Structures are given as C-alpha cells and as structure tokens.
Amino acid sequence: MTRILLLTAPRGAGKTTACERMIQRAREAGLSVGGILTPARYDASGAKSGFYAVDLASGEQRELAIVASDEAQRTVGRFRFDADALAWAAERALWALNAPLDVVVIDEIGPLELERGQGFASALAALPQARARAAILIVRTELALRLQELLRAMRPIVIVLTQRDRDQIPTRLLEEVWRRDESGRI
C-alpha cells in the first residue's frame, strides 16, 4: 500500500518550498519522483499573481491559475484556474500514482478537490490502488482534518510545517518515505 503523507501548514508558510527541497534530496539519493508541484508566480512588484503546474517527471510547466480581478471569473478564492492546465495536471498526477515511483507529490489538495470534487479529486480516488511507494499531499491547515478523515482507511501520516522546523521538513519527509511499516517492509 502507498504510504500517504499529508504536509500541512497555513498559506504562505513554505509547504511547496519544503517539497522542492525534499525532491532535490530525493533525486540526489537516486529516488524516482513524480507528481505535480504548483509554485507561485509573482508580478514585477512581488505580489502573487498566480500559480504554475510543474510535472515533476518531465519538468513540463503550464500556467495553472491567475489572480482574477473580476469576481465572476474566479474559480476558487481570488484565482481563475485554466481548465485545460488543471486537467493536464490531474492526468499527470494520476500517471505518477500509477507508476512504480518512489515518491509522488501532489500540490495542493484544496477546496477544488474537497468541496467540489474537481482538480486532483481523481488522484485522491486513485490512492488506494496506487503503485507509488509514497504520496505526499500538500494541504492547508484549515482543510487538513477533512483530508485526513477522507483518507482515514489509508492511515495518513500528518506532518505539520512550522516556522521553527521548516528547514528540517525535507529530511523528515524523506525519512517517512523510507520508514518501515509494521511488518518490517519498506
């Protein structure tokens, strides 16, 4: 069974950055990595202007969401998601879960998945049959309990990122990927 890790923290705390560092270390250790990372985009003044979706297996990047000034155009919060990029990201996450990879990252599980059944909802549904050794799901603090309950049968491990420990989180994630289960299997 795929080991499920939930990385949680408030918005802007560094969840994606911690995963980027973990991915670099995992690759340096010879681990296979897949999934989707969604780093923020910033405008010239340094304000968050949207998100990219990056396929960790291929490096391909697409514009996933932008800040929408018109409320009618917003998908979630203040962002308008590109439907084609979102479908592509979900397909790449599913591919990664179904591949015999060491670790799959899905950034992030949010209201789109948990309230609307969209976005990466198909990847959540595929977790019980996943072939990957471990899956790291990034989720904001306010949604972590809901996701934990949804995945209760898979006994997810919750890792809370704080300002005090955020430099240690990449190492902790890697340790959890390689931790032995109760039967002694890795």
Side-chain angles (χ1 to χ4, degrees):
M1 176 169 31
T2 300
R3 176 166 292 152
I4 306 298
L5 308 172
L6 306 183
L7 177 61
T8 184
R11 294 171 207 230
K15 299 178 297 291
T16 300
T17 301
C19 276
E20 287 174 328
R21 291 178 181 151
M22 183 279 307
I23 290 162
Q24 179 182 356
R25 292 176 188 173
R27 287 181 172 150
E28 288 169 358
L31 300 181
S32 55
V33 179
I36 294 289
L37 205 60
T38 57
R41 303 178 35 203
Y42 296 92
D43 64 20
S45 69
K48 189 180 285 187
S49 61
F51 296 92
Y52 294 107
V54 179
D55 177 9
L56 295 171
S58 70
E60 185 178 349
Q61 174 178 294
R62 297 191 183 183
E63 188 174 278
L64 181 63
I66 60 169
V67 172
S69 54
D70 181 356
E71 225 175 291
Q73 292 182 344
R74 295 177 182 169
T75 310
V76 174
R78 60 189 181 119
F79 298 99
R80 178 175 50 88
F81 283 78
D82 179 284
D84 291 337
L86 189 57
W88 169 81
E91 182 273 321
R92 297 308 300 154
L94 277 171
W95 175 88
L97 287 171
N98 290 317
L101 298 174
D102 292 308
V103 63
V104 173
V105 176
I106 301 177
D107 180 17
E108 84 178 45
I109 305 301
L112 207 54
E113 292 77 17
L114 298 173
E115 295 171 6
R116 298 185 188 176
Q118 299 172 349
F120 296 118
S122 58
L124 291 176
L127 284 171
Q129 296 82 30
R131 294 177 59 207
R133 173 190 300 266
I136 300 171
L137 309 177
I138 298 176
V139 61
R140 282 182 251 141
T141 303
E142 66 266 21
L143 297 171
L145 286 176
R146 188 180 310 176
L147 183 57
Q148 187 176 7
E149 181 60 27
L150 179 70
L151 302 175
R152 180 178 28 154
M154 297 191 72
R155 300 184 353 221
I157 298 160
V158 178
I159 298 174
V160 178
L161 183 144
T162 66
Q163 291 295 327
R164 282 190 338 265
D165 70 358
R166 73 187 210 181
D167 291 337
Q168 289 78 40
I169 291 296
T171 300
R172 174 135 185 247
L173 289 168
L174 274 178
E175 288 170 351
E176 288 294 342
V177 167
W178 285 105
R179 188 172 56 90
R180 296 180 185 276
D181 65 16
E182 295 79 27
S183 70
R185 289 183 305 129
I186 293 179

